[in-house]
Short mmCIF file of all heavy atoms in Angstrom, two decimals:
data_model
loop_
_atom_site.label_atom_id
_atom_site.label_comp_id
_atom_site.label_asym_id
_atom_site.label_seq_id
_atom_site.Cartn_x
_atom_site.Cartn_y
_atom_site.Cartn_z
N GLY A 1 6.24 -39.99 -69.73
CA GLY A 1 5.13 -39.19 -70.10
C GLY A 1 3.90 -39.78 -69.36
O GLY A 1 2.80 -39.03 -69.05
N LYS A 2 3.99 -41.14 -69.05
CA LYS A 2 2.73 -41.77 -68.36
C LYS A 2 2.54 -41.19 -66.92
O LYS A 2 1.55 -41.49 -66.39
CB LYS A 2 2.98 -43.27 -68.53
CG LYS A 2 2.78 -43.77 -69.86
CD LYS A 2 3.21 -45.38 -69.80
CE LYS A 2 3.15 -45.83 -71.25
NZ LYS A 2 3.58 -47.29 -71.21
N LEU A 3 3.65 -40.63 -66.42
CA LEU A 3 3.60 -40.24 -65.05
C LEU A 3 3.29 -38.79 -64.96
O LEU A 3 3.24 -38.25 -63.80
CB LEU A 3 4.94 -40.50 -64.33
CG LEU A 3 5.34 -41.96 -64.29
CD1 LEU A 3 6.77 -42.14 -63.70
CD2 LEU A 3 4.35 -42.75 -63.27
N VAL A 4 3.03 -38.02 -66.10
CA VAL A 4 2.89 -36.68 -66.02
C VAL A 4 1.25 -36.33 -65.96
O VAL A 4 0.51 -36.93 -66.72
CB VAL A 4 3.41 -35.95 -67.31
CG1 VAL A 4 3.11 -34.39 -67.33
CG2 VAL A 4 4.97 -36.20 -67.27
N LYS A 5 0.91 -35.49 -65.03
CA LYS A 5 -0.42 -34.92 -65.00
C LYS A 5 -0.40 -33.62 -65.95
O LYS A 5 0.03 -32.61 -65.43
CB LYS A 5 -0.86 -34.68 -63.54
CG LYS A 5 -1.10 -35.84 -62.80
CD LYS A 5 -1.61 -35.44 -61.44
CE LYS A 5 -2.00 -36.69 -60.58
NZ LYS A 5 -2.53 -36.16 -59.24
N GLN A 6 -0.87 -33.75 -67.08
CA GLN A 6 -0.82 -32.68 -68.01
C GLN A 6 -1.56 -31.40 -67.53
O GLN A 6 -2.67 -31.45 -67.07
CB GLN A 6 -1.43 -33.04 -69.42
CG GLN A 6 -0.64 -34.05 -70.22
CD GLN A 6 0.74 -33.70 -70.70
OE1 GLN A 6 0.97 -32.44 -70.89
NE2 GLN A 6 1.60 -34.54 -70.96
N ASN A 7 -0.79 -30.24 -67.52
CA ASN A 7 -1.47 -28.96 -67.27
C ASN A 7 -2.14 -29.01 -65.83
O ASN A 7 -3.23 -28.32 -65.77
CB ASN A 7 -2.24 -28.42 -68.37
CG ASN A 7 -2.75 -26.96 -68.18
OD1 ASN A 7 -1.85 -26.18 -67.72
ND2 ASN A 7 -3.88 -26.65 -68.62
N GLU A 8 -1.55 -29.72 -64.92
CA GLU A 8 -2.33 -29.73 -63.54
C GLU A 8 -2.45 -28.31 -62.96
O GLU A 8 -3.48 -28.09 -62.34
CB GLU A 8 -1.59 -30.67 -62.62
CG GLU A 8 -2.37 -30.92 -61.34
CD GLU A 8 -1.80 -31.85 -60.39
OE1 GLU A 8 -0.57 -32.12 -60.53
OE2 GLU A 8 -2.65 -32.37 -59.60
N MET A 9 -1.39 -27.46 -63.08
CA MET A 9 -1.51 -26.24 -62.46
C MET A 9 -2.66 -25.52 -63.12
O MET A 9 -3.41 -24.74 -62.48
CB MET A 9 -0.15 -25.37 -62.66
CG MET A 9 -0.21 -24.18 -62.00
SD MET A 9 1.38 -23.25 -62.04
CE MET A 9 1.03 -21.80 -61.16
N GLY A 10 -2.71 -25.50 -64.45
CA GLY A 10 -3.86 -24.76 -65.13
C GLY A 10 -5.20 -25.32 -64.68
O GLY A 10 -6.22 -24.50 -64.42
N ARG A 11 -5.31 -26.69 -64.48
CA ARG A 11 -6.54 -27.18 -63.96
C ARG A 11 -6.94 -26.75 -62.61
O ARG A 11 -8.14 -26.45 -62.36
CB ARG A 11 -6.44 -28.79 -64.09
CG ARG A 11 -7.68 -29.52 -63.61
CD ARG A 11 -7.51 -31.05 -63.64
NE ARG A 11 -6.39 -31.39 -62.71
CZ ARG A 11 -6.53 -31.51 -61.31
NH1 ARG A 11 -7.58 -31.12 -60.74
NH2 ARG A 11 -5.46 -31.81 -60.79
N ILE A 12 -5.89 -26.79 -61.73
CA ILE A 12 -6.21 -26.26 -60.45
C ILE A 12 -6.75 -24.80 -60.42
O ILE A 12 -7.62 -24.47 -59.69
CB ILE A 12 -4.94 -26.35 -59.58
CG1 ILE A 12 -4.52 -27.80 -59.33
CG2 ILE A 12 -5.05 -25.72 -58.21
CD1 ILE A 12 -3.11 -28.06 -58.77
N VAL A 13 -6.14 -24.04 -61.21
CA VAL A 13 -6.42 -22.50 -61.35
C VAL A 13 -7.92 -22.47 -61.87
O VAL A 13 -8.55 -21.70 -61.31
CB VAL A 13 -5.36 -21.69 -62.13
CG1 VAL A 13 -5.91 -20.40 -62.55
CG2 VAL A 13 -4.11 -21.69 -61.52
N GLU A 14 -8.12 -23.14 -62.84
CA GLU A 14 -9.51 -23.15 -63.48
C GLU A 14 -10.52 -23.49 -62.54
O GLU A 14 -11.70 -22.88 -62.46
CB GLU A 14 -9.67 -23.88 -64.75
CG GLU A 14 -8.89 -23.11 -65.97
CD GLU A 14 -9.06 -23.82 -67.26
OE1 GLU A 14 -9.01 -25.16 -67.34
OE2 GLU A 14 -9.31 -23.22 -68.29
N GLN A 15 -10.34 -24.68 -61.87
CA GLN A 15 -11.34 -25.17 -61.05
C GLN A 15 -11.57 -24.12 -59.78
O GLN A 15 -12.70 -24.29 -59.13
CB GLN A 15 -10.91 -26.48 -60.40
CG GLN A 15 -11.00 -27.68 -61.44
CD GLN A 15 -10.56 -28.99 -60.91
OE1 GLN A 15 -9.96 -29.07 -59.79
NE2 GLN A 15 -10.71 -30.01 -61.70
N ALA A 16 -10.63 -23.37 -59.39
CA ALA A 16 -10.80 -22.53 -58.30
C ALA A 16 -11.37 -21.14 -58.81
O ALA A 16 -11.42 -20.07 -58.09
CB ALA A 16 -9.43 -22.35 -57.59
N GLY A 17 -11.72 -21.11 -60.10
CA GLY A 17 -12.23 -19.85 -60.67
C GLY A 17 -11.22 -18.82 -61.22
O GLY A 17 -11.51 -17.74 -61.44
N GLY A 18 -9.98 -19.26 -61.34
CA GLY A 18 -8.94 -18.35 -61.79
C GLY A 18 -9.08 -18.24 -63.37
O GLY A 18 -9.54 -19.12 -64.02
N VAL A 19 -8.61 -17.12 -63.85
CA VAL A 19 -8.53 -16.79 -65.34
C VAL A 19 -7.25 -16.21 -65.66
O VAL A 19 -6.44 -15.55 -64.89
CB VAL A 19 -9.60 -15.89 -65.67
CG1 VAL A 19 -11.00 -16.56 -65.45
CG2 VAL A 19 -9.64 -14.64 -64.85
N GLY A 20 -7.02 -16.35 -67.02
CA GLY A 20 -5.76 -15.66 -67.57
C GLY A 20 -4.42 -16.11 -67.12
O GLY A 20 -3.54 -15.39 -67.11
N LEU A 21 -4.23 -17.43 -66.87
CA LEU A 21 -3.02 -18.03 -66.48
C LEU A 21 -2.07 -17.87 -67.62
O LEU A 21 -2.33 -18.51 -68.76
CB LEU A 21 -3.09 -19.46 -65.94
CG LEU A 21 -1.74 -20.23 -65.66
CD1 LEU A 21 -1.17 -19.49 -64.46
CD2 LEU A 21 -2.11 -21.65 -65.36
N ASN A 22 -0.98 -17.14 -67.57
CA ASN A 22 -0.15 -16.83 -68.67
C ASN A 22 1.20 -16.31 -68.32
O ASN A 22 1.47 -16.06 -67.11
CB ASN A 22 -0.97 -15.78 -69.72
CG ASN A 22 -0.54 -16.01 -71.07
OD1 ASN A 22 0.44 -16.42 -71.48
ND2 ASN A 22 -1.61 -15.61 -71.94
N ALA A 23 2.03 -16.16 -69.27
CA ALA A 23 3.42 -15.51 -69.11
C ALA A 23 3.98 -15.09 -70.21
O ALA A 23 3.48 -15.36 -71.38
CB ALA A 23 4.37 -16.67 -68.41
N ASN A 24 4.94 -14.21 -70.25
CA ASN A 24 5.67 -13.82 -71.35
C ASN A 24 7.11 -13.52 -70.98
O ASN A 24 7.40 -13.18 -69.83
CB ASN A 24 5.03 -12.58 -72.01
CG ASN A 24 4.94 -11.36 -71.17
OD1 ASN A 24 5.88 -10.93 -70.61
ND2 ASN A 24 3.68 -10.76 -71.11
N THR A 25 7.99 -13.54 -72.02
CA THR A 25 9.44 -13.30 -71.77
C THR A 25 9.82 -12.12 -72.77
O THR A 25 9.53 -12.34 -74.02
CB THR A 25 10.29 -14.57 -72.11
OG1 THR A 25 9.89 -15.50 -71.20
CG2 THR A 25 11.71 -14.19 -71.76
N SER A 26 10.49 -11.23 -72.31
CA SER A 26 11.00 -10.16 -73.25
C SER A 26 12.52 -10.09 -73.10
O SER A 26 13.11 -10.81 -72.40
CB SER A 26 10.30 -8.72 -72.75
OG SER A 26 10.90 -8.28 -71.50
N ASN A 27 13.17 -9.13 -73.63
CA ASN A 27 14.46 -9.00 -73.54
C ASN A 27 14.97 -8.71 -72.15
O ASN A 27 16.12 -9.05 -71.73
CB ASN A 27 15.00 -7.72 -74.37
CG ASN A 27 15.04 -8.13 -75.92
OD1 ASN A 27 15.98 -8.60 -76.33
ND2 ASN A 27 13.90 -7.67 -76.59
N GLU A 28 14.08 -8.12 -71.36
CA GLU A 28 14.51 -7.71 -70.00
C GLU A 28 13.76 -8.38 -68.82
O GLU A 28 14.12 -8.18 -67.71
CB GLU A 28 14.24 -6.13 -69.98
CG GLU A 28 14.95 -5.39 -71.05
CD GLU A 28 14.21 -4.20 -71.54
OE1 GLU A 28 13.04 -4.11 -71.30
OE2 GLU A 28 14.80 -3.44 -72.23
N ALA A 29 12.73 -9.04 -68.98
CA ALA A 29 11.98 -9.54 -68.04
C ALA A 29 11.16 -10.68 -68.36
O ALA A 29 10.84 -10.95 -69.46
CB ALA A 29 10.97 -8.45 -67.45
N THR A 30 10.76 -11.55 -67.26
CA THR A 30 9.79 -12.61 -67.45
C THR A 30 8.68 -12.47 -66.59
O THR A 30 8.89 -12.23 -65.32
CB THR A 30 10.62 -13.90 -67.20
OG1 THR A 30 11.82 -13.98 -67.86
CG2 THR A 30 9.66 -15.13 -67.70
N ARG A 31 7.41 -12.49 -67.02
CA ARG A 31 6.33 -12.11 -66.19
C ARG A 31 5.32 -13.24 -66.22
O ARG A 31 5.01 -13.78 -67.21
CB ARG A 31 5.63 -10.81 -66.86
CG ARG A 31 6.63 -9.66 -67.03
CD ARG A 31 5.95 -8.53 -67.88
NE ARG A 31 6.84 -7.59 -68.29
CZ ARG A 31 7.65 -7.65 -69.25
NH1 ARG A 31 7.62 -8.67 -70.09
NH2 ARG A 31 8.49 -6.64 -69.61
N TYR A 32 4.77 -13.59 -64.97
CA TYR A 32 3.84 -14.64 -64.88
C TYR A 32 2.58 -13.98 -64.18
O TYR A 32 2.77 -13.34 -63.10
CB TYR A 32 4.41 -15.74 -63.95
CG TYR A 32 5.75 -16.21 -64.42
CD1 TYR A 32 6.97 -15.73 -64.14
CD2 TYR A 32 5.78 -17.47 -65.23
CE1 TYR A 32 8.04 -16.33 -64.56
CE2 TYR A 32 6.95 -17.99 -65.70
CZ TYR A 32 8.14 -17.44 -65.32
OH TYR A 32 9.45 -17.83 -65.90
N PHE A 33 1.46 -14.28 -64.76
CA PHE A 33 0.25 -13.65 -64.17
C PHE A 33 -1.03 -14.38 -64.32
O PHE A 33 -1.15 -15.18 -65.30
CB PHE A 33 0.15 -12.25 -64.90
CG PHE A 33 0.27 -12.22 -66.34
CD1 PHE A 33 -0.71 -12.45 -67.25
CD2 PHE A 33 1.58 -12.08 -66.94
CE1 PHE A 33 -0.52 -12.53 -68.59
CE2 PHE A 33 1.79 -12.14 -68.32
CZ PHE A 33 0.73 -12.34 -69.27
N TYR A 34 -1.88 -14.09 -63.47
CA TYR A 34 -3.30 -14.66 -63.54
C TYR A 34 -4.12 -14.00 -62.41
O TYR A 34 -3.61 -13.28 -61.48
CB TYR A 34 -3.43 -16.19 -63.52
CG TYR A 34 -2.74 -16.90 -62.34
CD1 TYR A 34 -3.53 -17.45 -61.30
CD2 TYR A 34 -1.35 -17.02 -62.34
CE1 TYR A 34 -2.79 -18.23 -60.32
CE2 TYR A 34 -0.85 -17.78 -61.29
CZ TYR A 34 -1.53 -18.32 -60.30
OH TYR A 34 -0.90 -19.12 -59.36
N SER A 35 -5.36 -14.27 -62.55
CA SER A 35 -6.45 -13.52 -61.55
C SER A 35 -7.20 -14.77 -60.86
O SER A 35 -7.50 -15.66 -61.42
CB SER A 35 -7.25 -12.59 -62.26
OG SER A 35 -6.62 -11.55 -62.90
N PHE A 36 -7.65 -14.40 -59.65
CA PHE A 36 -8.42 -15.25 -58.85
C PHE A 36 -9.54 -14.54 -58.07
O PHE A 36 -9.42 -13.24 -57.90
CB PHE A 36 -7.54 -15.89 -57.63
CG PHE A 36 -7.05 -17.20 -57.92
CD1 PHE A 36 -5.69 -17.57 -57.62
CD2 PHE A 36 -7.81 -18.25 -58.54
CE1 PHE A 36 -5.21 -18.90 -57.73
CE2 PHE A 36 -7.26 -19.58 -58.73
CZ PHE A 36 -6.04 -19.87 -58.39
N PRO A 37 -10.69 -15.22 -57.77
CA PRO A 37 -11.57 -14.57 -56.70
C PRO A 37 -10.84 -14.25 -55.53
O PRO A 37 -9.77 -14.85 -55.16
CB PRO A 37 -12.56 -15.73 -56.53
CG PRO A 37 -12.48 -16.65 -57.81
CD PRO A 37 -11.00 -16.67 -58.17
N ALA A 38 -11.33 -13.22 -54.88
CA ALA A 38 -10.75 -12.62 -53.67
C ALA A 38 -10.56 -13.86 -52.58
O ALA A 38 -9.50 -13.56 -51.79
CB ALA A 38 -11.46 -11.48 -53.24
#
């Protein structure tokens, strides 16, 4: 655990202006999504 950078991907996304980093799993699909400045 001491070697883990907690939620580094989320931090990178937020610092770059990204929003809505999220995912969901249903019976039939797994979806990963977020938005960024162009």
Side-chain angles (χ1 to χ4, degrees):
K2 294 174 184 177
L3 297 172
V4 175
K5 287 184 178 180
Q6 294 291 337
N7 193 30
E8 186 176 21
M9 184 173 179
R11 180 182 57 78
I12 294 170
V13 170
E14 284 188 318
Q15 287 182 348
V19 295
L21 176 62
N22 212 330
N24 61 52
T25 305
S26 70
N27 283 276
E28 305 145 341
T30 311
R31 309 167 188 85
Y32 303 86
F33 44 90
Y34 52 107
S35 300
F36 260 141

